[in-house]
């Protein structure tokens, strides 16, 4: 994105891209790959390229990635795609016309600086989180949700992400998002600074207008969760409030992959309550389920736990209640 290449979609869009008939090559790495891409690509002119030795698949061309020859490998793939263009079958090409504006790629520093600039005319190189903290303590913003995670074939694509986001925005809760969740927001227009503010409550709408930002801030891929936790750490440091007591929660409403498991564990271990819209595979053991989700399991160790609810409205209500309870405990 830093080179001006727009996003096309998220996890559950990968087969749809091939179905347009306008895809010369689709290149995959090691995770989040549909096994049907090989046979599906053969129905079109699309070249299906795998790059990892542990994720080689039938009906694919293997071009192994390694750091020393990455540039040459990339050029070879692009050349292959360019040369494949002449094999397009015009009768099979159907490119959707839907487009959305989205502002993407916020770093921790960019978020801090833009919000600091609203309150202070003299902003130093790095800025401070104090204006954001003042918005939260005054009640203009009720809190924040870090929303990450996959699409899941068990859930209608993007529905949980978008339903949750719209309800949270109405309640003046700002969203920090990454990965497939972020791309769901982009497709729904929730990262358009002009259009998206109409979904917001009065407080969040005012902050977005003053700062010139969308209410849903994109911070990178799913594995960029560390950026979100660095921001939480900065808020904790500047406020003197432990991370576990900040009015902030995590959420993965349609989680699916192994990396989502590690991301969720990272967020909970940092002290941030994490809400899931798909059941984790722990129901076989009541002891493990209670350890992860109970009031006296891991919460006794890290001051946070997993909260699971497959009813998205109910999950959202629990997130809002958790944020409000944290506010009450702080007396704000």
């Amino acid at each position: 994105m830093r080179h001006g290449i727009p996003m096309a979609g998220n996890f559950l869009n990968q087969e749809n891209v091939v179905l347009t008939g306008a895809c010369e090559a689709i290149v995959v790495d090691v995770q989040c790959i549909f096994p049907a891409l090989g046979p599906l690509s053969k129905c079109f002119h699309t070249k299906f390229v795998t790059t990892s030795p542990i994720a080689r698949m039938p009906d694919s061309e293997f071009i192994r990635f390694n750091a020393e020859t990455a540039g040459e490998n990339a050029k070879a793939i692009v050349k292959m795609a360019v040369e494949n263009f002449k094999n397009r079958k015009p009768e099979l090409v159907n490119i959707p016309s839907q487009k959305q504006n989205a502002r993407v790629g916020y770093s921790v520093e960019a978020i801090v600086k833009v919000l600091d600039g609203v309150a202070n005319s003299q902003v130093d190189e790095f800025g401070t989180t104090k204006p954001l903290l003042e918005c939260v303590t005054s009640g203009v913003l009720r809190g924040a949700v870090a929303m990450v995670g996959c699409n899941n074939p068990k859930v209608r694509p993007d529905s949980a992400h978008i339903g949750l986001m719209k309800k949270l925005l109405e309640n003046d809760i700002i969203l920090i998002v990454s990965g497939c969740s972020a791309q769901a927001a982009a497709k729904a227009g929730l990262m358009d600074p002009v259009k998206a503010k109409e979904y917001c409550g009065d407080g969040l709408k005012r902050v977005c207008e003053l700062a010139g930002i969308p209410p849903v801030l994109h911070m990178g891929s799913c594995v960029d969760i560390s950026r979100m936790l660095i921001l939480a750490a900065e808020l904790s440091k500047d406020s003197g409030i432990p991370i576990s007591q900040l009015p902030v929660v995590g959420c993965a409403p349609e989680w699916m992959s192994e990396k989502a498991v590690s991301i969720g564990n990272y967020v909970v271990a940092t002290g941030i309550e994490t809400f899931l819209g798909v059941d984790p595979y722990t129901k076989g053991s009541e002891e493990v389920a209670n350890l992860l989700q109970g009031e006296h399991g891991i919460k006794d160790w890290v001051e946070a736990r997993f909260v699971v609810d497959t009813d998205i409205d109910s999950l959202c209500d629990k997130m809002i209640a958790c944020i409000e309870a944290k506010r009450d405990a702080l007396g704000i």
Side-chain angles (χ1 to χ4, degrees):
M1 287 181 289
R2 291 185 178 93
H3 295 281
I5 300 169
M7 296 185 293
N10 48 9
F11 173 61
L12 285 180
N13 289 127
Q14 58 189 274
E15 291 177 335
N16 295 344
V17 172
V18 177
L19 288 169
T20 64
C23 183
E24 271 64 61
I26 186 162
V27 187
V28 299
D29 183 37
V30 71
Q31 264 195 119
C32 300
I33 307 164
F34 280 168
L37 281 177
L40 179 63
S41 296
K42 288 178 72 177
C43 297
F44 296 85
H45 73 296
T46 307
K47 299 282 189 182
F48 177 43
V49 181
T50 55
T51 60
S52 170
I54 62 170
R56 297 181 68 169
M57 299 171 70
D59 301 315
S60 70
E61 299 191 34
F62 180 58
I63 298 179
R64 181 168 183 163
F65 168 81
N66 66 69
E68 290 73 28
T69 61
E72 290 78 4
N73 296 154
K75 287 176 183 176
I77 292 170
V78 171
K79 186 172 186 288
M80 176 196 298
V82 170
E83 291 173 348
N84 195 29
F85 177 78
K86 64 179 181 293
N87 297 318
R88 267 194 193 188
K89 299 171 183 173
E91 69 276 11
L92 296 180
V93 174
N94 181 16
I95 303 173
S97 59
Q98 299 98 315
K99 289 185 180 180
Q100 289 285 4
N101 289 324
R103 184 177 295 168
V104 298
Y106 280 92
S107 63
V108 175
E109 295 80 6
I111 291 173
V112 170
K113 200 165 184 179
V114 73
L115 291 171
D116 192 18
V118 173
N120 301 309
S121 56
Q122 298 276 327
V123 181
D124 64 27
E125 184 181 353
F126 301 106
T128 171
T129 64
K130 288 179 181 176
L132 177 55
L133 287 165
E134 287 165 8
C135 286
V136 174
T137 54
S138 67
V140 174
L141 298 179
R142 305 306 295 175
V145 171
M147 194 174 295
V148 301
C150 331
N151 294 123
N152 193 310
K154 295 178 181 178
V155 181
R156 184 178 178 183
D158 299 342
S159 60
H161 294 283
I162 302 308
L164 282 171
M165 287 179 192
K166 287 183 177 178
K167 190 168 181 177
L168 292 167
L169 296 180
E170 287 173 10
N171 285 273
D172 291 318
I173 295 170
I174 195 166
L175 285 150
I176 311 294
V177 297
S178 67
C180 287
S181 183
Q183 291 152 20
K187 288 186 286 179
L190 297 180
M191 288 182 186
D192 182 332
V194 176
K195 183 178 175 182
K197 65 185 179 184
E198 301 309 318
Y199 295 102
C200 301
D202 291 340
L204 179 55
K205 184 177 182 178
R206 181 68 176 148
V207 170
C208 291
E209 287 174 339
L210 287 171
I213 58 173
V216 180
L217 296 173
H218 174 275
M219 289 195 79
S221 73
C222 54
V223 291
D224 284 321
I225 184 66
S226 54
R227 293 177 178 174
M228 298 181 177
L229 294 183
I230 289 169
L231 181 57
E234 288 297 314
L235 289 169
S236 176
K237 184 173 70 175
D238 289 344
S239 66
I241 300 168
I243 287 178
S244 60
Q245 297 174 26
L246 292 170
V248 173
V249 300
C251 181
E254 299 180 29
W255 77 273
M256 171 278 305
S257 77
E258 310 94 305
K259 58 188 172 185
V261 175
S262 61
I263 289 166
N265 286 333
Y266 177 24
V267 176
V268 169
T270 307
I272 298 174
E273 204 101 325
T274 298
F275 293 76
L276 307 177
V278 174
D279 275 317
Y281 302 112
T282 56
K283 283 188 173 179
S285 169
E286 187 176 329
E287 189 172 338
V288 173
N290 287 334
L291 178 69
L292 295 176
Q293 300 175 42
E295 283 289 347
H296 297 291
I298 56 173
K299 190 160 187 174
D300 288 341
W301 309 337
V302 298
E303 300 182 35
R305 62 177 177 141
F306 289 101
V307 177
V308 182
D309 196 328
T310 56
D311 182 307
I312 294 305
D313 270 342
S314 175
L315 184 71
C316 193
D317 290 339
K318 289 175 181 175
M319 292 164 68
I320 294 170
C322 181
I323 287 171
E324 293 298 336
K326 287 174 181 279
R327 293 184 62 87
D328 290 344
L330 292 170
I332 57 174

